[in-house]
Amino acid sequence: MSGLTAIRIAALLAIGYGLWVLVGGPVQLGAGSQALTMRLSLGNPVAWLIGLLAVFIGCFLWMRFAWAWWLGLAAALFQVWRIVYPIFSSAGAPRLPGLVTLLVLALLVLFIVLLFFPKARAACSR
């Protein structure tokens, strides 16, 4: 797969994730006993921030801006940390997250892997 193809697929994933957050919301904001269910209300301004930022990153990643590559990587790593930290933070064996949480985690990991494809970073040259 060429670097340009990897960047375009990553951009589509980011846009799709942002739209998913804005229309249905797979992400729960805040910690608590329900931290692994990933629910969201659009009345929450942080949900708008996550959704719009993902769409923004995807659009500019599609146009191959280098700063969008870095911002997308940082945002995806932060979201992965927000999902994985509550799983392993409690004492004892980690609780398994729900199916939607695993799906979001898989999409974020796929996004990161696509960003690290050979020549993907070089394809973002603006």
PDB file of all heavy atoms in Angstrom, residues 4 6-19 50-65 67-73 75 111 115 124:
ATOM      1  N   LEU A   4       0.280   7.444   0.179  1.00  0.00           N
ATOM      2  CA  LEU A   4      -0.894   8.279  -0.098  1.00  0.00           C
ATOM      3  C   LEU A   4      -2.184   7.517   0.181  1.00  0.00           C
ATOM      4  O   LEU A   4      -3.135   8.061   0.759  1.00  0.00           O
ATOM      5  CB  LEU A   4      -0.862   8.770  -1.541  1.00  0.00           C
ATOM      6  CG  LEU A   4      -2.022   9.657  -1.972  1.00  0.00           C
ATOM      7  CD1 LEU A   4      -2.076  10.913  -1.123  1.00  0.00           C
ATOM      8  CD2 LEU A   4      -1.903  10.004  -3.432  1.00  0.00           C
ATOM      9  N   ALA A   6      -2.568   5.019   2.313  1.00  0.00           N
ATOM     10  CA  ALA A   6      -2.694   4.873   3.765  1.00  0.00           C
ATOM     11  C   ALA A   6      -3.210   6.161   4.400  1.00  0.00           C
ATOM     12  O   ALA A   6      -4.071   6.119   5.291  1.00  0.00           O
ATOM     13  CB  ALA A   6      -1.348   4.484   4.367  1.00  0.00           C
ATOM     14  N   ILE A   7      -2.718   7.305   3.927  1.00  0.00           N
ATOM     15  CA  ILE A   7      -3.169   8.587   4.473  1.00  0.00           C
ATOM     16  C   ILE A   7      -4.635   8.829   4.129  1.00  0.00           C
ATOM     17  O   ILE A   7      -5.412   9.303   4.961  1.00  0.00           O
ATOM     18  CB  ILE A   7      -2.275   9.728   3.946  1.00  0.00           C
ATOM     19  CG1 ILE A   7      -0.893   9.646   4.579  1.00  0.00           C
ATOM     20  CG2 ILE A   7      -2.896  11.096   4.193  1.00  0.00           C
ATOM     21  CD1 ILE A   7      -0.883   9.790   6.086  1.00  0.00           C
ATOM     22  N   ARG A   8      -5.037   8.506   2.919  1.00  0.00           N
ATOM     23  CA  ARG A   8      -6.438   8.707   2.526  1.00  0.00           C
ATOM     24  C   ARG A   8      -7.382   7.811   3.331  1.00  0.00           C
ATOM     25  O   ARG A   8      -8.456   8.247   3.759  1.00  0.00           O
ATOM     26  CB  ARG A   8      -6.609   8.442   1.019  1.00  0.00           C
ATOM     27  CG  ARG A   8      -5.873   9.446   0.148  1.00  0.00           C
ATOM     28  CD  ARG A   8      -6.610  10.763   0.129  1.00  0.00           C
ATOM     29  NE  ARG A   8      -5.856  11.878  -0.382  1.00  0.00           N
ATOM     30  CZ  ARG A   8      -5.909  12.344  -1.613  1.00  0.00           C
ATOM     31  NH1 ARG A   8      -6.670  11.768  -2.505  1.00  0.00           N
ATOM     32  NH2 ARG A   8      -5.196  13.391  -1.955  1.00  0.00           N
ATOM     33  N   ILE A   9      -6.991   6.557   3.559  1.00  0.00           N
ATOM     34  CA  ILE A   9      -7.829   5.659   4.364  1.00  0.00           C
ATOM     35  C   ILE A   9      -7.886   6.162   5.803  1.00  0.00           C
ATOM     36  O   ILE A   9      -8.959   6.157   6.434  1.00  0.00           O
ATOM     37  CB  ILE A   9      -7.310   4.213   4.282  1.00  0.00           C
ATOM     38  CG1 ILE A   9      -7.488   3.672   2.864  1.00  0.00           C
ATOM     39  CG2 ILE A   9      -8.034   3.319   5.284  1.00  0.00           C
ATOM     40  CD1 ILE A   9      -6.839   2.329   2.628  1.00  0.00           C
ATOM     41  N   ALA A  10      -6.753   6.621   6.336  1.00  0.00           N
ATOM     42  CA  ALA A  10      -6.732   7.173   7.696  1.00  0.00           C
ATOM     43  C   ALA A  10      -7.622   8.416   7.782  1.00  0.00           C
ATOM     44  O   ALA A  10      -8.320   8.614   8.783  1.00  0.00           O
ATOM     45  CB  ALA A  10      -5.298   7.503   8.109  1.00  0.00           C
ATOM     46  N   ALA A  11      -7.599   9.246   6.753  1.00  0.00           N
ATOM     47  CA  ALA A  11      -8.453  10.440   6.740  1.00  0.00           C
ATOM     48  C   ALA A  11      -9.929  10.046   6.745  1.00  0.00           C
ATOM     49  O   ALA A  11     -10.734  10.648   7.468  1.00  0.00           O
ATOM     50  CB  ALA A  11      -8.137  11.304   5.525  1.00  0.00           C
ATOM     51  N   LEU A  12     -10.288   9.051   5.957  1.00  0.00           N
ATOM     52  CA  LEU A  12     -11.677   8.586   5.947  1.00  0.00           C
ATOM     53  C   LEU A  12     -12.081   7.996   7.299  1.00  0.00           C
ATOM     54  O   LEU A  12     -13.217   8.187   7.750  1.00  0.00           O
ATOM     55  CB  LEU A  12     -11.878   7.566   4.823  1.00  0.00           C
ATOM     56  CG  LEU A  12     -11.813   8.132   3.406  1.00  0.00           C
ATOM     57  CD1 LEU A  12     -11.907   7.004   2.384  1.00  0.00           C
ATOM     58  CD2 LEU A  12     -12.917   9.143   3.177  1.00  0.00           C
ATOM     59  N   LEU A  13     -11.162   7.276   7.947  1.00  0.00           N
ATOM     60  CA  LEU A  13     -11.437   6.750   9.287  1.00  0.00           C
ATOM     61  C   LEU A  13     -11.664   7.877  10.284  1.00  0.00           C
ATOM     62  O   LEU A  13     -12.579   7.803  11.112  1.00  0.00           O
ATOM     63  CB  LEU A  13     -10.280   5.871   9.765  1.00  0.00           C
ATOM     64  CG  LEU A  13     -10.273   4.427   9.315  1.00  0.00           C
ATOM     65  CD1 LEU A  13      -8.991   3.748   9.761  1.00  0.00           C
ATOM     66  CD2 LEU A  13     -11.468   3.684   9.851  1.00  0.00           C
ATOM     67  N   ALA A  14     -10.846   8.918  10.212  1.00  0.00           N
ATOM     68  CA  ALA A  14     -10.999  10.046  11.135  1.00  0.00           C
ATOM     69  C   ALA A  14     -12.321  10.766  10.905  1.00  0.00           C
ATOM     70  O   ALA A  14     -13.026  11.104  11.864  1.00  0.00           O
ATOM     71  CB  ALA A  14      -9.829  11.022  10.970  1.00  0.00           C
ATOM     72  N   ILE A  15     -12.665  10.992   9.655  1.00  0.00           N
ATOM     73  CA  ILE A  15     -13.941  11.651   9.351  1.00  0.00           C
ATOM     74  C   ILE A  15     -15.107  10.779   9.794  1.00  0.00           C
ATOM     75  O   ILE A  15     -16.066  11.269  10.411  1.00  0.00           O
ATOM     76  CB  ILE A  15     -14.025  11.990   7.851  1.00  0.00           C
ATOM     77  CG1 ILE A  15     -13.000  13.080   7.503  1.00  0.00           C
ATOM     78  CG2 ILE A  15     -15.434  12.432   7.474  1.00  0.00           C
ATOM     79  CD1 ILE A  15     -12.829  13.313   6.014  1.00  0.00           C
ATOM     80  N   GLY A  16     -15.036   9.492   9.522  1.00  0.00           N
ATOM     81  CA  GLY A  16     -16.093   8.577   9.948  1.00  0.00           C
ATOM     82  C   GLY A  16     -16.230   8.522  11.461  1.00  0.00           C
ATOM     83  O   GLY A  16     -17.346   8.521  11.994  1.00  0.00           O
ATOM     84  N   TYR A  17     -15.115   8.482  12.170  1.00  0.00           N
ATOM     85  CA  TYR A  17     -15.143   8.476  13.634  1.00  0.00           C
ATOM     86  C   TYR A  17     -15.760   9.772  14.166  1.00  0.00           C
ATOM     87  O   TYR A  17     -16.591   9.743  15.077  1.00  0.00           O
ATOM     88  CB  TYR A  17     -13.724   8.287  14.173  1.00  0.00           C
ATOM     89  CG  TYR A  17     -13.630   8.341  15.672  1.00  0.00           C
ATOM     90  CD1 TYR A  17     -14.089   7.293  16.452  1.00  0.00           C
ATOM     91  CD2 TYR A  17     -13.077   9.440  16.319  1.00  0.00           C
ATOM     92  CE1 TYR A  17     -14.002   7.336  17.832  1.00  0.00           C
ATOM     93  CE2 TYR A  17     -12.984   9.495  17.690  1.00  0.00           C
ATOM     94  CZ  TYR A  17     -13.444   8.435  18.445  1.00  0.00           C
ATOM     95  OH  TYR A  17     -13.362   8.490  19.805  1.00  0.00           O
ATOM     96  N   GLY A  18     -15.362  10.902  13.580  1.00  0.00           N
ATOM     97  CA  GLY A  18     -15.918  12.184  14.021  1.00  0.00           C
ATOM     98  C   GLY A  18     -17.414  12.268  13.791  1.00  0.00           C
ATOM     99  O   GLY A  18     -18.162  12.735  14.655  1.00  0.00           O
ATOM    100  N   LEU A  19     -17.865  11.806  12.637  1.00  0.00           N
ATOM    101  CA  LEU A  19     -19.305  11.812  12.365  1.00  0.00           C
ATOM    102  C   LEU A  19     -20.045  10.844  13.271  1.00  0.00           C
ATOM    103  O   LEU A  19     -21.173  11.120  13.698  1.00  0.00           O
ATOM    104  CB  LEU A  19     -19.555  11.481  10.893  1.00  0.00           C
ATOM    105  CG  LEU A  19     -19.071  12.538   9.897  1.00  0.00           C
ATOM    106  CD1 LEU A  19     -19.290  12.054   8.467  1.00  0.00           C
ATOM    107  CD2 LEU A  19     -19.758  13.865  10.136  1.00  0.00           C
ATOM    108  N   ILE A  50     -14.621  16.637  20.401  1.00  0.00           N
ATOM    109  CA  ILE A  50     -14.034  15.395  19.875  1.00  0.00           C
ATOM    110  C   ILE A  50     -14.503  15.152  18.448  1.00  0.00           C
ATOM    111  O   ILE A  50     -13.703  14.853  17.558  1.00  0.00           O
ATOM    112  CB  ILE A  50     -14.399  14.204  20.784  1.00  0.00           C
ATOM    113  CG1 ILE A  50     -13.677  14.330  22.126  1.00  0.00           C
ATOM    114  CG2 ILE A  50     -14.034  12.879  20.123  1.00  0.00           C
ATOM    115  CD1 ILE A  50     -14.153  13.323  23.146  1.00  0.00           C
ATOM    116  N   GLY A  51     -15.787  15.261  18.205  1.00  0.00           N
ATOM    117  CA  GLY A  51     -16.329  15.006  16.872  1.00  0.00           C
ATOM    118  C   GLY A  51     -15.827  15.981  15.827  1.00  0.00           C
ATOM    119  O   GLY A  51     -15.390  15.590  14.748  1.00  0.00           O
ATOM    120  N   LEU A  52     -15.883  17.260  16.151  1.00  0.00           N
ATOM    121  CA  LEU A  52     -15.431  18.267  15.183  1.00  0.00           C
ATOM    122  C   LEU A  52     -13.927  18.215  14.967  1.00  0.00           C
ATOM    123  O   LEU A  52     -13.453  18.416  13.844  1.00  0.00           O
ATOM    124  CB  LEU A  52     -15.871  19.657  15.633  1.00  0.00           C
ATOM    125  CG  LEU A  52     -17.377  19.899  15.606  1.00  0.00           C
ATOM    126  CD1 LEU A  52     -17.714  21.273  16.156  1.00  0.00           C
ATOM    127  CD2 LEU A  52     -17.941  19.716  14.215  1.00  0.00           C
ATOM    128  N   LEU A  53     -13.166  17.925  16.023  1.00  0.00           N
ATOM    129  CA  LEU A  53     -11.718  17.805  15.869  1.00  0.00           C
ATOM    130  C   LEU A  53     -11.361  16.617  14.982  1.00  0.00           C
ATOM    131  O   LEU A  53     -10.465  16.713  14.134  1.00  0.00           O
ATOM    132  CB  LEU A  53     -11.038  17.676  17.233  1.00  0.00           C
ATOM    133  CG  LEU A  53      -9.522  17.632  17.224  1.00  0.00           C
ATOM    134  CD1 LEU A  53      -8.948  18.944  16.707  1.00  0.00           C
ATOM    135  CD2 LEU A  53      -8.994  17.342  18.617  1.00  0.00           C
ATOM    136  N   ALA A  54     -12.066  15.497  15.139  1.00  0.00           N
ATOM    137  CA  ALA A  54     -11.798  14.334  14.293  1.00  0.00           C
ATOM    138  C   ALA A  54     -12.123  14.624  12.826  1.00  0.00           C
ATOM    139  O   ALA A  54     -11.353  14.245  11.933  1.00  0.00           O
ATOM    140  CB  ALA A  54     -12.593  13.129  14.788  1.00  0.00           C
ATOM    141  N   VAL A  55     -13.235  15.295  12.573  1.00  0.00           N
ATOM    142  CA  VAL A  55     -13.585  15.663  11.190  1.00  0.00           C
ATOM    143  C   VAL A  55     -12.562  16.657  10.643  1.00  0.00           C
ATOM    144  O   VAL A  55     -12.118  16.541   9.491  1.00  0.00           O
ATOM    145  CB  VAL A  55     -15.024  16.239  11.121  1.00  0.00           C
ATOM    146  CG1 VAL A  55     -15.311  16.825   9.763  1.00  0.00           C
ATOM    147  CG2 VAL A  55     -16.037  15.157  11.470  1.00  0.00           C
ATOM    148  N   PHE A  56     -12.162  17.628  11.447  1.00  0.00           N
ATOM    149  CA  PHE A  56     -11.160  18.613  11.056  1.00  0.00           C
ATOM    150  C   PHE A  56      -9.837  17.932  10.699  1.00  0.00           C
ATOM    151  O   PHE A  56      -9.235  18.216   9.657  1.00  0.00           O
ATOM    152  CB  PHE A  56     -10.984  19.598  12.223  1.00  0.00           C
ATOM    153  CG  PHE A  56      -9.952  20.657  12.015  1.00  0.00           C
ATOM    154  CD1 PHE A  56     -10.232  21.765  11.243  1.00  0.00           C
ATOM    155  CD2 PHE A  56      -8.704  20.553  12.613  1.00  0.00           C
ATOM    156  CE1 PHE A  56      -9.288  22.756  11.056  1.00  0.00           C
ATOM    157  CE2 PHE A  56      -7.760  21.539  12.437  1.00  0.00           C
ATOM    158  CZ  PHE A  56      -8.045  22.642  11.660  1.00  0.00           C
ATOM    159  N   ILE A  57      -9.383  17.020  11.561  1.00  0.00           N
ATOM    160  CA  ILE A  57      -8.136  16.295  11.303  1.00  0.00           C
ATOM    161  C   ILE A  57      -8.263  15.473  10.030  1.00  0.00           C
ATOM    162  O   ILE A  57      -7.351  15.461   9.192  1.00  0.00           O
ATOM    163  CB  ILE A  57      -7.767  15.400  12.502  1.00  0.00           C
ATOM    164  CG1 ILE A  57      -7.310  16.255  13.679  1.00  0.00           C
ATOM    165  CG2 ILE A  57      -6.672  14.399  12.132  1.00  0.00           C
ATOM    166  CD1 ILE A  57      -7.158  15.488  14.965  1.00  0.00           C
ATOM    167  N   GLY A  58      -9.376  14.782   9.854  1.00  0.00           N
ATOM    168  CA  GLY A  58      -9.571  13.966   8.661  1.00  0.00           C
ATOM    169  C   GLY A  58      -9.558  14.775   7.376  1.00  0.00           C
ATOM    170  O   GLY A  58      -8.949  14.373   6.383  1.00  0.00           O
ATOM    171  N   CYS A  59     -10.215  15.929   7.395  1.00  0.00           N
ATOM    172  CA  CYS A  59     -10.244  16.775   6.192  1.00  0.00           C
ATOM    173  C   CYS A  59      -8.854  17.275   5.822  1.00  0.00           C
ATOM    174  O   CYS A  59      -8.457  17.235   4.659  1.00  0.00           O
ATOM    175  CB  CYS A  59     -11.190  17.948   6.393  1.00  0.00           C
ATOM    176  SG  CYS A  59     -12.923  17.480   6.448  1.00  0.00           S
ATOM    177  N   PHE A  60      -8.099  17.733   6.798  1.00  0.00           N
ATOM    178  CA  PHE A  60      -6.767  18.249   6.508  1.00  0.00           C
ATOM    179  C   PHE A  60      -5.748  17.131   6.283  1.00  0.00           C
ATOM    180  O   PHE A  60      -4.751  17.343   5.601  1.00  0.00           O
ATOM    181  CB  PHE A  60      -6.321  19.223   7.592  1.00  0.00           C
ATOM    182  CG  PHE A  60      -6.980  20.554   7.460  1.00  0.00           C
ATOM    183  CD1 PHE A  60      -8.072  20.885   8.235  1.00  0.00           C
ATOM    184  CD2 PHE A  60      -6.533  21.471   6.520  1.00  0.00           C
ATOM    185  CE1 PHE A  60      -8.702  22.104   8.102  1.00  0.00           C
ATOM    186  CE2 PHE A  60      -7.156  22.699   6.367  1.00  0.00           C
ATOM    187  CZ  PHE A  60      -8.247  23.016   7.159  1.00  0.00           C
ATOM    188  N   LEU A  61      -6.009  15.964   6.831  1.00  0.00           N
ATOM    189  CA  LEU A  61      -5.164  14.809   6.529  1.00  0.00           C
ATOM    190  C   LEU A  61      -5.380  14.378   5.082  1.00  0.00           C
ATOM    191  O   LEU A  61      -4.445  13.973   4.394  1.00  0.00           O
ATOM    192  CB  LEU A  61      -5.483  13.671   7.498  1.00  0.00           C
ATOM    193  CG  LEU A  61      -4.466  12.561   7.665  1.00  0.00           C
ATOM    194  CD1 LEU A  61      -3.120  13.129   8.088  1.00  0.00           C
ATOM    195  CD2 LEU A  61      -4.961  11.572   8.689  1.00  0.00           C
ATOM    196  N   TRP A  62      -6.616  14.474   4.613  1.00  0.00           N
ATOM    197  CA  TRP A  62      -6.923  14.169   3.219  1.00  0.00           C
ATOM    198  C   TRP A  62      -6.139  15.089   2.280  1.00  0.00           C
ATOM    199  O   TRP A  62      -5.688  14.688   1.224  1.00  0.00           O
ATOM    200  CB  TRP A  62      -8.420  14.314   2.965  1.00  0.00           C
ATOM    201  CG  TRP A  62      -8.833  13.925   1.581  1.00  0.00           C
ATOM    202  CD1 TRP A  62      -8.891  14.730   0.489  1.00  0.00           C
ATOM    203  CD2 TRP A  62      -9.226  12.627   1.134  1.00  0.00           C
ATOM    204  NE1 TRP A  62      -9.306  14.024  -0.605  1.00  0.00           N
ATOM    205  CE2 TRP A  62      -9.517  12.722  -0.240  1.00  0.00           C
ATOM    206  CE3 TRP A  62      -9.373  11.396   1.764  1.00  0.00           C
ATOM    207  CZ2 TRP A  62      -9.944  11.633  -0.985  1.00  0.00           C
ATOM    208  CZ3 TRP A  62      -9.796  10.325   1.016  1.00  0.00           C
ATOM    209  CH2 TRP A  62     -10.073  10.445  -0.339  1.00  0.00           C
ATOM    210  N   MET A  63      -5.988  16.356   2.705  1.00  0.00           N
ATOM    211  CA  MET A  63      -5.225  17.319   1.910  1.00  0.00           C
ATOM    212  C   MET A  63      -3.716  17.202   2.160  1.00  0.00           C
ATOM    213  O   MET A  63      -2.952  17.987   1.625  1.00  0.00           O
ATOM    214  CB  MET A  63      -5.709  18.734   2.204  1.00  0.00           C
ATOM    215  CG  MET A  63      -7.123  18.985   1.711  1.00  0.00           C
ATOM    216  SD  MET A  63      -7.638  20.691   1.920  1.00  0.00           S
ATOM    217  CE  MET A  63      -8.142  20.715   3.621  1.00  0.00           C
ATOM    218  N   ARG A  64      -3.311  16.274   2.978  1.00  0.00           N
ATOM    219  CA  ARG A  64      -1.916  15.888   3.237  1.00  0.00           C
ATOM    220  C   ARG A  64      -1.088  16.967   3.914  1.00  0.00           C
ATOM    221  O   ARG A  64       0.059  17.191   3.584  1.00  0.00           O
ATOM    222  CB  ARG A  64      -1.240  15.408   1.960  1.00  0.00           C
ATOM    223  CG  ARG A  64      -1.932  14.218   1.362  1.00  0.00           C
ATOM    224  CD  ARG A  64      -1.315  13.787   0.095  1.00  0.00           C
ATOM    225  NE  ARG A  64      -1.167  14.919  -0.804  1.00  0.00           N
ATOM    226  CZ  ARG A  64      -0.312  14.945  -1.810  1.00  0.00           C
ATOM    227  NH1 ARG A  64       0.445  13.933  -2.049  1.00  0.00           N
ATOM    228  NH2 ARG A  64      -0.235  16.005  -2.595  1.00  0.00           N
ATOM    229  N   PHE A  65      -1.673  17.623   4.911  1.00  0.00           N
ATOM    230  CA  PHE A  65      -0.915  18.576   5.709  1.00  0.00           C
ATOM    231  C   PHE A  65      -0.128  17.828   6.778  1.00  0.00           C
ATOM    232  O   PHE A  65      -0.670  16.943   7.448  1.00  0.00           O
ATOM    233  CB  PHE A  65      -1.836  19.596   6.370  1.00  0.00           C
ATOM    234  CG  PHE A  65      -2.311  20.663   5.426  1.00  0.00           C
ATOM    235  CD1 PHE A  65      -3.525  20.535   4.775  1.00  0.00           C
ATOM    236  CD2 PHE A  65      -1.528  21.777   5.187  1.00  0.00           C
ATOM    237  CE1 PHE A  65      -3.967  21.508   3.903  1.00  0.00           C
ATOM    238  CE2 PHE A  65      -1.959  22.767   4.312  1.00  0.00           C
ATOM    239  CZ  PHE A  65      -3.173  22.626   3.665  1.00  0.00           C
ATOM    240  N   TRP A  67       1.037  18.934   9.658  1.00  0.00           N
ATOM    241  CA  TRP A  67       0.573  19.192  11.016  1.00  0.00           C
ATOM    242  C   TRP A  67      -0.665  18.357  11.341  1.00  0.00           C
ATOM    243  O   TRP A  67      -0.896  18.003  12.497  1.00  0.00           O
ATOM    244  CB  TRP A  67       0.318  20.679  11.247  1.00  0.00           C
ATOM    245  CG  TRP A  67      -0.697  21.293  10.335  1.00  0.00           C
ATOM    246  CD1 TRP A  67      -0.443  21.959   9.176  1.00  0.00           C
ATOM    247  CD2 TRP A  67      -2.113  21.284  10.498  1.00  0.00           C
ATOM    248  NE1 TRP A  67      -1.638  22.366   8.607  1.00  0.00           N
ATOM    249  CE2 TRP A  67      -2.669  21.966   9.398  1.00  0.00           C
ATOM    250  CE3 TRP A  67      -2.975  20.771  11.467  1.00  0.00           C
ATOM    251  CZ2 TRP A  67      -4.032  22.138   9.248  1.00  0.00           C
ATOM    252  CZ3 TRP A  67      -4.335  20.940  11.310  1.00  0.00           C
ATOM    253  CH2 TRP A  67      -4.843  21.626  10.214  1.00  0.00           C
ATOM    254  N   ALA A  68      -1.468  18.027  10.339  1.00  0.00           N
ATOM    255  CA  ALA A  68      -2.644  17.173  10.566  1.00  0.00           C
ATOM    256  C   ALA A  68      -2.210  15.748  10.907  1.00  0.00           C
ATOM    257  O   ALA A  68      -2.877  15.066  11.685  1.00  0.00           O
ATOM    258  CB  ALA A  68      -3.552  17.183   9.347  1.00  0.00           C
ATOM    259  N   TRP A  69      -1.090  15.297  10.311  1.00  0.00           N
ATOM    260  CA  TRP A  69      -0.554  13.969  10.641  1.00  0.00           C
ATOM    261  C   TRP A  69      -0.167  13.932  12.112  1.00  0.00           C
ATOM    262  O   TRP A  69      -0.525  13.003  12.824  1.00  0.00           O
ATOM    263  CB  TRP A  69       0.659  13.667   9.756  1.00  0.00           C
ATOM    264  CG  TRP A  69       1.186  12.283   9.888  1.00  0.00           C
ATOM    265  CD1 TRP A  69       0.818  11.200   9.143  1.00  0.00           C
ATOM    266  CD2 TRP A  69       2.167  11.814  10.819  1.00  0.00           C
ATOM    267  NE1 TRP A  69       1.523  10.100   9.556  1.00  0.00           N
ATOM    268  CE2 TRP A  69       2.358  10.447  10.580  1.00  0.00           C
ATOM    269  CE3 TRP A  69       2.904  12.422  11.821  1.00  0.00           C
ATOM    270  CZ2 TRP A  69       3.247   9.676  11.310  1.00  0.00           C
ATOM    271  CZ3 TRP A  69       3.793  11.659  12.558  1.00  0.00           C
ATOM    272  CH2 TRP A  69       3.963  10.301  12.299  1.00  0.00           C
ATOM    273  N   TRP A  70       0.556  14.965  12.563  1.00  0.00           N
ATOM    274  CA  TRP A  70       0.988  15.009  13.964  1.00  0.00           C
ATOM    275  C   TRP A  70      -0.198  15.166  14.921  1.00  0.00           C
ATOM    276  O   TRP A  70      -0.262  14.506  15.957  1.00  0.00           O
ATOM    277  CB  TRP A  70       1.982  16.150  14.176  1.00  0.00           C
ATOM    278  CG  TRP A  70       3.332  15.857  13.613  1.00  0.00           C
ATOM    279  CD1 TRP A  70       3.866  16.365  12.467  1.00  0.00           C
ATOM    280  CD2 TRP A  70       4.307  14.976  14.155  1.00  0.00           C
ATOM    281  NE1 TRP A  70       5.115  15.852  12.266  1.00  0.00           N
ATOM    282  CE2 TRP A  70       5.417  15.000  13.286  1.00  0.00           C
ATOM    283  CE3 TRP A  70       4.360  14.167  15.286  1.00  0.00           C
ATOM    284  CZ2 TRP A  70       6.558  14.244  13.525  1.00  0.00           C
ATOM    285  CZ3 TRP A  70       5.498  13.423  15.510  1.00  0.00           C
ATOM    286  CH2 TRP A  70       6.582  13.462  14.648  1.00  0.00           C
ATOM    287  N   LEU A  71      -1.125  16.035  14.569  1.00  0.00           N
ATOM    288  CA  LEU A  71      -2.294  16.243  15.422  1.00  0.00           C
ATOM    289  C   LEU A  71      -3.166  14.988  15.468  1.00  0.00           C
ATOM    290  O   LEU A  71      -3.680  14.625  16.527  1.00  0.00           O
ATOM    291  CB  LEU A  71      -3.105  17.445  14.925  1.00  0.00           C
ATOM    292  CG  LEU A  71      -4.297  17.866  15.772  1.00  0.00           C
ATOM    293  CD1 LEU A  71      -3.859  18.245  17.180  1.00  0.00           C
ATOM    294  CD2 LEU A  71      -5.017  19.028  15.114  1.00  0.00           C
ATOM    295  N   GLY A  72      -3.321  14.322  14.340  1.00  0.00           N
ATOM    296  CA  GLY A  72      -4.087  13.073  14.309  1.00  0.00           C
ATOM    297  C   GLY A  72      -3.443  11.993  15.151  1.00  0.00           C
ATOM    298  O   GLY A  72      -4.125  11.255  15.873  1.00  0.00           O
ATOM    299  N   LEU A  73      -2.128  11.894  15.083  1.00  0.00           N
ATOM    300  CA  LEU A  73      -1.420  10.907  15.893  1.00  0.00           C
ATOM    301  C   LEU A  73      -1.591  11.204  17.378  1.00  0.00           C
ATOM    302  O   LEU A  73      -1.910  10.296  18.167  1.00  0.00           O
ATOM    303  CB  LEU A  73       0.061  10.892  15.506  1.00  0.00           C
ATOM    304  CG  LEU A  73       0.941   9.921  16.279  1.00  0.00           C
ATOM    305  CD1 LEU A  73       0.524   8.485  15.978  1.00  0.00           C
ATOM    306  CD2 LEU A  73       2.394  10.134  15.937  1.00  0.00           C
ATOM    307  N   ALA A  75      -3.978  12.979  18.863  1.00  0.00           N
ATOM    308  CA  ALA A  75      -5.377  12.808  19.267  1.00  0.00           C
ATOM    309  C   ALA A  75      -5.743  11.331  19.384  1.00  0.00           C
ATOM    310  O   ALA A  75      -6.428  10.930  20.330  1.00  0.00           O
ATOM    311  CB  ALA A  75      -6.294  13.501  18.265  1.00  0.00           C
ATOM    312  N   PHE A 111      -6.133   3.388  12.731  1.00  0.00           N
ATOM    313  CA  PHE A 111      -5.763   4.740  12.316  1.00  0.00           C
ATOM    314  C   PHE A 111      -4.278   4.993  12.590  1.00  0.00           C
ATOM    315  O   PHE A 111      -3.554   5.502  11.734  1.00  0.00           O
ATOM    316  CB  PHE A 111      -6.633   5.755  13.055  1.00  0.00           C
ATOM    317  CG  PHE A 111      -6.316   7.186  12.751  1.00  0.00           C
ATOM    318  CD1 PHE A 111      -6.747   7.773  11.574  1.00  0.00           C
ATOM    319  CD2 PHE A 111      -5.582   7.957  13.646  1.00  0.00           C
ATOM    320  CE1 PHE A 111      -6.457   9.101  11.285  1.00  0.00           C
ATOM    321  CE2 PHE A 111      -5.289   9.279  13.366  1.00  0.00           C
ATOM    322  CZ  PHE A 111      -5.729   9.847  12.189  1.00  0.00           C
ATOM    323  N   LEU A 115      -1.134   5.548   9.898  1.00  0.00           N
ATOM    324  CA  LEU A 115      -0.255   6.715   9.929  1.00  0.00           C
ATOM    325  C   LEU A 115       1.218   6.313   9.914  1.00  0.00           C
ATOM    326  O   LEU A 115       2.064   7.050   9.413  1.00  0.00           O
ATOM    327  CB  LEU A 115      -0.536   7.577  11.155  1.00  0.00           C
ATOM    328  CG  LEU A 115      -1.844   8.354  11.158  1.00  0.00           C
ATOM    329  CD1 LEU A 115      -1.942   9.195  12.431  1.00  0.00           C
ATOM    330  CD2 LEU A 115      -1.994   9.220   9.939  1.00  0.00           C
ATOM    331  N   CYS A 124       2.526  13.350   3.573  1.00  0.00           N
ATOM    332  CA  CYS A 124       2.005  14.601   4.141  1.00  0.00           C
ATOM    333  C   CYS A 124       3.129  15.636   4.066  1.00  0.00           C
ATOM    334  O   CYS A 124       3.907  15.789   5.002  1.00  0.00           O
ATOM    335  CB  CYS A 124       1.553  14.389   5.575  1.00  0.00           C
ATOM    336  SG  CYS A 124       0.162  13.299   5.718  1.00  0.00           S
TER     337      CYS A 124
END
